[in-house]
Amino acid sequence: GRFGDFGGRYVPESLVPACAALETAFREAWADATFHERLAELRSVYAGRPTALTPAATLSADLGITLMLKREDLAHTGSHKINNVLGQALLAQRMGKTRLIAETGAGQHGVATATAAALFGMRATIYMGERDMARQRLNVFRMELLGAEVIPVTAGSRTLKDATNEAMRGWVAAVEEAHFCLGSAAGPHPYPWLVRQFQRVIGEEARAQAAIQPDVVVACVGGGSNAAGTFAGFADTRARLVGVEAAGGAAMTHGRPGVVHGYRSMLLQDEQGQILEAESISAGLDYPGIGPEHAHLGAIGRAEYVTVTDDEAVAALRHLARAEGIICALESAHAVAWVLRAAGTPELPAGSTVLLTLSGRGDKDMATLAGVTE
Amino acid sequence: GRFGDFGGRYVPESLVPACAALETAFREAWADATFHERLAELRSVYAGRPTALTPAATLSADLGITLMLKREDLAHTGSHKINNVLGQALLAQRMGKTRLIAETGAGQHGVATATAAALFGMRATIYMGERDMARQRLNVFRMELLGAEVIPVTAGSRTLKDATNEAMRGWVAAVEEAHFCLGSAAGPHPYPWLVRQFQRVIGEEARAQAAIQPDVVVACVGGGSNAAGTFAGFADTRARLVGVEAAGGAAMTHGRPGVVHGYRSMLLQDEQGQILEAESISAGLDYPGIGPEHAHLGAIGRAEYVTVTDDEAVAALRHLARAEGIICALESAHAVAWVLRAAGTPELPAGSTVLLTLSGRGDKDMATLAGVTE
Amino acid sequence: MKRLYPYLTGGITEDWTDYLLAYQQAGADAIEIGLPFSDPMLDGTTIQQASDRALRRGTTIDAILADLAAVRDRISVPLFAMTYANLVFRDGPEVFCRRLAEAGVSGLIVPDVPVDEADGLSSAAEAAGVDLVLLAAPVTPPERLAEIAARSRGFVYAVSVLGTTGERDELAGTAAPLAARIKAVTDLPVLIGFGISRPEHATAAARAGDGVVVASTLMRRVLDGATPGELLDDVAALRAAVDQADQEVPADHAHAEVSGDRG
Amino acid sequence: MKRLYPYLTGGITEDWTDYLLAYQQAGADAIEIGLPFSDPMLDGTTIQQASDRALRRGTTIDAILADLAAVRDRISVPLFAMTYANLVFRDGPEVFCRRLAEAGVSGLIVPDVPVDEADGLSSAAEAAGVDLVLLAAPVTPPERLAEIAARSRGFVYAVSVLGTTGERDELAGTAAPLAARIKAVTDLPVLIGFGISRPEHATAAARAGDGVVVASTLMRRVLDGATPGELLDDVAALRAAVDQADQEVPADHAHAEVSGDRG
């Protein structure tokens, strides 16, 4: 949870013991072979892991690079979010919790959490901004179908930022029975670390699957869990690590240090220190913060962070669909867009071997995209 | 393509040479280790195979049986349809075809075909009933995003039956350059055989994955490709094979022998021999015919065919979602519904080990289901 | 003499047999009668619409055959039924062919029963005294073409084009070579069908073969409300066009003309 | 004497300092002033709305502190600022605490800076002469409670309930035991806050601790348009309720009463 100057546990006193207990439980679980066995089993027999590593033959030929796609879009519920929630649900069960609380933006993490709750026989309470609920009605329906209670958040911008506040408030009020199943590599310690550990399976699998070790590893970054998990598998290699932010939610590129949602990191904020609303077509990147580990990796120069516009992301989604027959999430399309833009330039020279994580599938974005297109 | 009294090649003379050429090409390909290697590679690095075999722990405990779920919902594009189209696209490429023609009902096979066409750099023309297009707008959008041309079919009931007629007409007119990528284990010889061979990976994987060999193998049946593929893996075992039809599209249960779409099988038809429209909430089972191999397996008593109502299917979808955290397709929910109904009765005695194929994921059905619920 | 076989969807209107009489009066050599099927796979939009309309009127094979029996004594030209396999097999091909024969129908065309699937139907037709007409297509390979020609009865139906029935702007370049190939292996008449939409197509096709089947262009008119009298004029025009082929040009000239690109 | 610390969101209205004067006149022992933050994680609906309204008015910390400076000579009770970490760290805690001190604010409460994260802020506050008040919660374990008590300045803020700020129907049963636990480890005053919504809650809470912080119930009135004069009456009623605790009951009776189930 502490990464250089970033991270920490900036939470109300009411949550400190819960965070501490979670940290202890996680450390114990992580040292327990049985826990890893159960997690590995769930990943394999339930969540569809290992996910494929797909050589993008057409794009590689067109761009003059070797591009490999790590296919989190094939994971159960449609994104990498399941990796994290299965780990946290297993942990919550171990801690004797009977309920999961989660925030969600587009609904992917909410669906994943509702899924894990159903699987483990727990209650699930999902906080979702009213505006996001309107934009993602079918994900709301999916969560309810899975038995979760979806609570509309009417405060502020009525999106992920506010849902996160409300979920933390909900946790404060139910801290003894409920586990807060945070969806990104953000939040108070131990979350950024714990979520990254549950997501590192992405990077580790990819590394083992790749026939050639990549020169460049690229992933989209909102809060940054898929990128954190991907990067973790290549931290000790010489691969360049590139995180791609949405231009309208580029906390790393356009933010400055601050504290929100329990952690210190780079944040979009005004001169007064009020948190700004992000503006991205991709609900999963529509968030003013970034996980503290990314802030640290950026500060020490181990990872680079670049930005991609809404238009570039939409074009990249289309390009990938036609070239490879894969409709990825708008979030993931940001990573694709950077590769399309950078390939053949000094940023990403011809001949490079690139590993790109497709964090999720695009079904959820079809309505948005149809709106953009029509 | 011939299964006892069923099957055959009832097509216009214009298509006979193309069917014959396809048969020859398929026989050669199927005997060619390189073809199998390429197909295995695509399945693994692209389509996400092997798909998981998930023990349904909660349902098993509740029902007093051992239930295993074969997870075709985790395959790329969201259903077992990808198994077939990858095989056919590879075959079409081998035959020098530059275009794929397909029919689609709910759009799952259309999306899969459009996907394979994008991957192989071919053109795709998808025929879809106008009524189905209205019901499944997002799948239309997905196909177009993948570069396919979607042609609205305005004849007859404007659903799958008519789309199939129109696709065959389209094939007649473009038979030299185009491969007809039929989506079910139906149509003229060699399709029922060829599609089952491309789908048998479901049953073969499941058999290898299952720790205990099942007493009962169950799958939903419309045209019947997922069931055919599943059953193929267990044909030489003592397992009971159970195909579950939609009550409103139960060609096996309520039909009589006849010829449509190039094959002889059990068909829903009136006293005059006019083909009836099926009426199922599940677009994939909303079809008046059934693959000829099923008609044969039923006739010789190797497989049993049962029916499930729309209401039972919807309830089963909900039940599975809450019990196991899996939102399956309405089609697959028919198989689940039968297990829920039969478990603990003489039809499916307590203690049985059951393998059930979940043919696809339910995302596509959320709008339908929300309509039913609201 | 070159032949003209116009087509009519059975039961398309209440008094549909009036069209038959008009066709006969206009000089049809035989008439093809469509028995409408819900899923006419080989038919284009026009015949689909005609089938739909007839079925929505509540027509049935029984009704059509009864109507035919009623006008039987006024019809002197041969009648061919055209329909799809499911209707033929519904009560078995024997029953079906017998009913045709009883109603005075002397031939049968089933486009989704190719020669390989025709055994049972073939014997049933023969037993009932009905000619089972087989179809050949431009893509049919030589050996198979010979088999089709040998097993066809009444005439051989040359499908002029890779495609469905339906009006077209020009006669397909594949029509004449196919007719020539068939004529080389049989003494049966070879009739060219599919896309014979205008009198000039009929002339050209009749030159290449022994005659033409004309369907969609006539059914378009019927669907649009043309009367038997108006159809009489249409068929008469086709008759004239077909007769022109008879009078003008020796067969091998005709062949050269229709097979070329007529832009 | 039991203490009463009413709360006001800074900049909630144009003439918001009139409420401060009213609070003081009604007998407040100190006043808590909220510096509004966009993401007030620990606040319930009422304080969220108050923060939103103040921010939408365009208020800033500078403006609030300037307003305070302007009424400084008319305010004799201590002022505590309550806000969130991001505003404190925006220009660094040293700058922030100095600005508070310059505006006459003598204490600071930052609910999302728990004791573990408080080092830098603690020194900065001390250097500026500002009391950094720490919060304790019902779930805080004993050792940690001792540390919080030891490092808190001014008073110890006992968070009565597991939950956010906000009006509640009854005082949480957790309030009194927590106050007792804190009082056992410190000589600092212990003020109970969160959910003190009615005078009877204030009486009960004041019996258990050394006084109460009252926020949402007052801000609800301000949001609903109540005047400073009306708030004066509200605070006076709370004052009376708190004073009642002082006069009536020995501390261990009070403890017994509020900790029981008052259903």
Side-chain angles (χ1 to χ4, degrees):
Chain A
R2 291 202 182 272
F3 308 90
D5 282 346
F6 303 101
R9 185 182 287 161
Y10 293 89
V11 293
E13 179 61 21
S14 301
L15 293 180
V16 171
C19 288
L22 180 63
E23 179 181 348
T24 304
F26 177 65
R27 285 187 194 282
E28 285 170 9
W30 203 249
D32 177 355
T34 309
F35 181 84
H36 283 279
E37 274 163 32
R38 287 201 58 195
L39 185 55
E41 173 88 359
L42 280 177
R43 284 172 175 165
S44 155
V45 304
Y46 184 72
R49 304 208 71 87
T51 57
L53 184 71
T54 301
T58 305
L59 282 184
S60 293
D62 291 351
L63 300 173
I65 60 175
T66 300
L67 178 61
M68 299 173 284
L69 305 173
K70 180 59 175 164
R71 300 286 305 282
E72 296 302 301
D73 61 302
L74 293 174
H76 183 47
T77 72
S79 82
H80 71 291
K81 295 290 185 189
I82 195 73
N83 304 328
N84 173 41
V85 299
L86 288 179
Q88 290 202 39
L90 209 50
L91 197 55
Q93 191 186 47
R94 188 181 169 103
M95 294 172 74
K97 305 288 183 181
T98 57
R99 187 176 153 208
L100 299 179
I101 288 176
E103 84 295 352
T104 198
Q108 293 302 98
H109 175 57
V111 169
T113 302
T115 296
L119 181 66
F120 282 83
M122 295 178 178
R123 284 175 57 207
T125 308
I126 314 293
Y127 292 89
M128 188 169 185
E130 213 174 35
R131 196 167 137 214
D132 286 337
M133 284 179 75
R135 291 195 285 192
Q136 299 280 348
R137 283 188 53 238
L138 293 186
N139 267 345
V140 174
F141 190 74
R142 288 169 79 196
M143 288 184 261
E144 291 175 343
L145 203 56
L146 290 158
E149 181 187 16
V150 182
I151 300 193
V153 175
T154 56
S157 56
R158 296 171 292 130
T159 60
L160 176 58
K161 173 172 87 77
D162 311 286
T164 306
N165 289 323
E166 202 62 28
M168 294 189 80
R169 290 179 191 120
W171 189 30
V172 171
V175 67
E176 283 166 340
E177 100 230 27
H179 170 71
F180 178 32
C181 187
L182 206 154
S184 196
H189 178 65
Y191 284 102
W193 167 56
L194 174 159
V195 173
R196 184 253 281 156
Q197 292 299 76
F198 286 139
Q199 291 292 6
R200 65 183 302 138
V201 65
I202 304 172
E204 287 172 355
E205 276 181 11
R207 186 170 176 178
Q209 289 166 320
I212 321 166
Q213 285 310 302
D215 304 312
V216 181
V217 173
V218 54
C220 66
V221 181
S225 69
N226 93 86
T230 305
F231 292 174
F234 297 90
D236 62 345
T237 71
R238 300 167 80 173
R240 278 172 60 202
L241 307 177
V242 180
V244 186
E245 298 189 290
M252 198 65 194
T253 309
H254 301 310
R256 37 175 299 171
V259 173
V260 78
H261 297 153
Y263 66 104
R264 177 178 152 84
S265 186
M266 302 297 280
L267 304 178
L268 295 179
Q269 49 185 310
D270 68 12
E271 286 302 308
Q272 298 295 324
Q274 306 297 346
I275 306 302
L276 295 173
E277 291 172 24
E279 278 299 341
S280 168
I281 192 173
S282 143
L285 306 185
D286 205 0
Y287 179 69
I290 184 171
E293 186 167 15
H294 289 294
H296 176 61
L297 291 175
I300 63 171
R302 178 64 189 93
E304 307 153 51
Y305 295 85
V306 297
T307 69
V308 149
T309 66
D310 284 358
D311 287 350
E312 286 177 302
V314 168
L317 189 153
R318 297 181 167 281
H319 193 139
L320 181 70
R322 295 202 174 205
E324 306 293 346
I326 300 169
I327 300 179
C328 71
L330 271 172
E331 289 78 10
S332 322
H334 285 73
V336 177
W338 178 75
V339 169
L340 293 176
R341 185 178 74 199
T345 74
E347 257 196 299
L348 182 57
S352 300
T353 296
V354 180
L355 178 101
L356 186 158
T357 296
L358 289 181
S359 56
R361 65 185 185 224
D363 300 49
K364 69 178 176 58
D365 296 316
M366 291 302 96
T368 301
L369 217 59
V372 167
T373 305
E374 279 162 13
Chain B
R2 292 203 182 270
F3 308 91
D5 282 347
F6 303 102
R9 186 182 286 161
Y10 293 90
V11 293
E13 178 61 22
S14 300
L15 293 180
V16 171
C19 288
L22 179 63
E23 179 181 351
T24 305
F26 177 65
R27 285 187 193 282
E28 286 171 8
W30 203 249
D32 177 356
T34 309
F35 182 84
H36 283 280
E37 275 163 30
R38 287 202 58 196
L39 185 55
E41 172 87 1
L42 280 176
R43 284 171 174 167
S44 154
V45 305
Y46 184 71
R49 302 208 73 87
T51 58
L53 184 72
T54 301
T58 305
L59 282 184
S60 294
D62 291 352
L63 300 174
I65 59 174
T66 300
L67 178 61
M68 298 174 285
L69 305 173
K70 180 59 176 165
R71 300 286 305 282
E72 296 302 299
D73 61 302
L74 293 174
H76 183 46
T77 73
S79 82
H80 71 291
K81 295 289 185 190
I82 194 74
N83 304 328
N84 173 41
V85 298
L86 288 180
Q88 290 203 39
L90 208 51
L91 196 56
Q93 190 187 48
R94 190 181 167 102
M95 295 173 73
K97 305 288 184 183
T98 57
R99 187 175 152 208
L100 300 179
I101 288 176
E103 84 295 351
T104 198
Q108 293 302 98
H109 174 58
V111 168
T113 303
T115 295
L119 181 66
F120 282 83
M122 293 178 179
R123 284 174 58 207
T125 308
I126 314 295
Y127 292 90
M128 187 169 185
E130 213 175 34
R131 193 165 138 217
D132 286 337
M133 283 179 75
R135 290 194 285 191
Q136 299 280 349
R137 283 189 53 238
L138 292 186
N139 268 346
V140 174
F141 190 74
R142 286 169 79 196
M143 289 184 259
E144 290 177 343
L145 202 56
L146 290 159
E149 183 187 14
V150 182
I151 299 193
V153 176
T154 56
S157 56
R158 296 171 294 130
T159 60
L160 176 57
K161 173 172 88 78
D162 311 284
T164 306
N165 288 323
E166 201 62 28
M168 295 190 79
R169 293 181 189 117
W171 189 30
V172 172
V175 68
E176 284 167 340
E177 100 231 26
H179 170 70
F180 179 32
C181 187
L182 207 153
S184 198
H189 178 66
Y191 283 103
W193 168 55
L194 174 159
V195 172
R196 182 252 282 156
Q197 293 298 74
F198 286 139
Q199 292 292 5
R200 65 183 302 138
V201 65
I202 303 173
E204 288 173 354
E205 275 180 13
R207 186 170 177 178
Q209 289 166 319
I212 319 166
Q213 285 310 304
D215 305 311
V216 181
V217 172
V218 54
C220 66
V221 182
S225 69
N226 93 86
T230 304
F231 293 174
F234 297 91
D236 61 345
T237 72
R238 303 168 77 171
R240 279 173 58 203
L241 308 177
V242 180
V244 185
E245 297 190 290
M252 197 66 195
T253 309
H254 303 308
R256 38 174 301 171
V259 172
V260 78
H261 298 153
Y263 66 103
R264 176 177 154 85
S265 186
M266 302 298 280
L267 304 179
L268 294 179
Q269 50 186 311
D270 68 13
E271 286 303 308
Q272 298 295 324
Q274 306 297 346
I275 307 302
L276 295 172
E277 292 172 24
E279 279 299 340
S280 167
I281 192 173
S282 144
L285 305 185
D286 204 1
Y287 179 69
I290 184 170
E293 185 167 14
H294 289 293
H296 176 62
L297 291 174
I300 63 172
R302 177 64 189 94
E304 306 153 51
Y305 295 84
V306 296
T307 69
V308 149
T309 65
D310 284 358
D311 287 350
E312 287 178 304
V314 168
L317 190 152
R318 297 180 167 283
H319 194 140
L320 182 70
R322 295 203 175 206
E324 306 293 344
I326 299 170
I327 300 177
C328 71
L330 270 171
E331 289 79 8
S332 322
H334 286 72
V336 177
W338 178 76
V339 170
L340 292 176
R341 185 178 73 198
T345 74
E347 258 198 297
L348 182 57
S352 300
T353 296
V354 180
L355 178 99
L356 186 158
T357 294
L358 290 181
S359 57
R361 66 183 185 226
D363 299 51
K364 68 177 177 58
D365 297 317
M366 292 301 95
T368 301
L369 217 59
V372 167
T373 304
E374 278 161 14
Chain C
M1 247 253 316
K2 300 294 186 178
R3 298 160 193 232
L4 170 63
Y5 289 13
Y7 168 100
L8 186 72
T9 299
I12 179 81
T13 60
E14 176 78 34
D15 49 2
W16 67 278
T17 51
D18 291 352
Y19 290 101
L20 293 188
L21 298 169
Y23 283 9
Q24 173 174 276
Q25 195 182 333
D29 296 304
I31 301 174
E32 222 183 82
I33 296 169
L35 305 180
F37 180 49
S38 53
D39 293 76
M41 189 217 288
L42 196 62
D43 286 305
T45 312
T46 304
I47 307 291
Q48 286 177 49
Q49 287 175 358
S51 299
D52 274 1
R53 186 180 295 183
L55 290 173
R56 263 185 282 112
R57 274 194 62 246
T59 203
T60 60
I61 294 176
D62 281 344
I64 291 169
L65 295 183
D67 288 346
L68 280 180
V71 293
R72 191 177 187 170
D73 51 358
R74 289 191 282 157
I75 303 269
S76 54
V77 298
L79 299 179
F80 291 85
M82 177 155 184
T83 193
Y84 286 85
N86 200 54
L87 298 187
V88 174
F89 293 136
R90 183 66 180 82
D91 298 313
E94 295 77 10
V95 173
F96 183 82
C97 291
R98 208 158 44 231
R99 287 164 68 200
L100 290 186
E102 285 164 11
V105 176
S106 60
L108 174 62
I109 304 161
V110 191
D112 61 345
V113 177
V115 64
D116 332 76
E117 302 289 355
D119 284 358
L121 178 55
S122 203
S123 341
E126 193 166 338
V130 168
D131 286 335
L132 181 66
V133 178
L134 297 181
L135 300 89
V139 291
T140 305
E143 211 170 308
R144 183 174 173 85
L145 193 72
E147 189 192 353
I148 289 168
R151 297 190 52 187
S152 194
R153 295 290 175 267
F155 64 94
V156 179
Y157 196 138
V159 175
S160 72
V161 67
L162 286 175
T164 58
T165 60
E167 299 101 305
R168 285 181 175 76
D169 285 341
E170 50 186 85
L171 187 65
T174 42
L178 173 62
R181 286 175 58 212
I182 303 171
K183 289 187 71 66
V185 295
T186 185
D187 293 330
L188 284 176
V190 175
L191 273 85
I192 298 180
F194 285 54
I196 311 290
S197 305
R198 300 179 186 164
E200 59 266 34
H201 302 168
T203 307
R207 275 179 200 142
D210 298 304
V212 296
V213 179
V214 182
S216 297
T217 192
L218 297 175
M219 291 315 298
R220 179 79 267 148
R221 295 270 288 151
V222 173
L223 285 168
D224 290 348
T227 62
E230 290 171 313
L231 266 292
L232 190 153
D233 294 343
D234 294 344
V235 173
L238 290 166
R239 175 77 264 168
V242 167
D243 289 346
Q244 209 181 336
D246 229 4
Q247 293 148 14
E248 285 177 356
V249 192
D252 51 340
H253 271 212
H255 180 172
E257 185 179 330
V258 283
S259 67
D261 187 345
R262 308 164 73 236
Chain D
M1 250 255 315
K2 299 294 183 177
R3 298 160 194 234
L4 171 63
Y5 289 13
Y7 168 99
L8 187 71
T9 298
I12 180 80
T13 60
E14 176 78 34
D15 50 2
W16 65 278
T17 51
D18 292 352
Y19 290 101
L20 293 189
L21 297 168
Y23 283 10
Q24 174 174 275
Q25 196 183 333
D29 296 304
I31 302 174
E32 221 183 84
I33 297 170
L35 305 180
F37 179 50
S38 54
D39 293 77
M41 187 218 289
L42 195 62
D43 286 305
T45 313
T46 305
I47 307 292
Q48 286 176 50
Q49 287 176 357
S51 297
D52 274 1
R53 185 180 295 183
L55 290 172
R56 264 187 279 113
R57 274 194 63 246
T59 201
T60 61
I61 294 177
D62 280 345
I64 291 168
L65 295 183
D67 288 346
L68 281 181
V71 294
R72 189 175 188 172
D73 52 357
R74 289 192 281 158
I75 304 269
S76 54
V77 299
L79 300 179
F80 290 84
M82 178 154 184
T83 193
Y84 285 84
N86 200 52
L87 299 186
V88 173
F89 293 135
R90 182 68 179 80
D91 297 313
E94 296 77 9
V95 172
F96 183 82
C97 291
R98 209 156 47 228
R99 286 163 68 201
L100 290 186
E102 284 164 12
V105 176
S106 59
L108 173 61
I109 304 161
V110 191
D112 62 344
V113 177
V115 63
D116 331 75
E117 302 289 354
D119 284 358
L121 176 56
S122 202
S123 338
E126 192 165 339
V130 168
D131 286 336
L132 180 66
V133 177
L134 298 180
L135 299 88
V139 291
T140 305
E143 210 171 309
R144 183 174 173 85
L145 193 73
E147 189 194 351
I148 289 169
R151 296 189 51 188
S152 192
R153 295 290 175 268
F155 65 94
V156 179
Y157 195 138
V159 175
S160 72
V161 66
L162 285 176
T164 58
T165 60
E167 298 101 303
R168 285 180 175 79
D169 284 341
E170 50 186 85
L171 186 65
T174 42
L178 173 62
R181 286 175 59 213
I182 302 172
K183 290 186 70 64
V185 294
T186 184
D187 293 329
L188 284 176
V190 175
L191 271 84
I192 298 179
F194 284 54
I196 311 290
S197 306
R198 301 178 186 165
E200 60 266 33
H201 302 167
T203 306
R207 274 179 201 141
D210 298 305
V212 296
V213 178
V214 182
S216 296
T217 194
L218 297 174
M219 291 315 296
R220 181 77 267 147
R221 295 270 290 151
V222 174
L223 285 168
D224 289 347
T227 61
E230 290 170 314
L231 266 291
L232 191 152
D233 294 342
D234 294 344
V235 174
L238 290 167
R239 176 76 263 172
V242 167
D243 289 345
Q244 209 182 339
D246 228 3
Q247 293 149 12
E248 286 177 356
V249 193
D252 51 339
H253 271 210
H255 179 171
E257 184 179 330
V258 283
S259 67
D261 186 344
R262 307 164 75 235

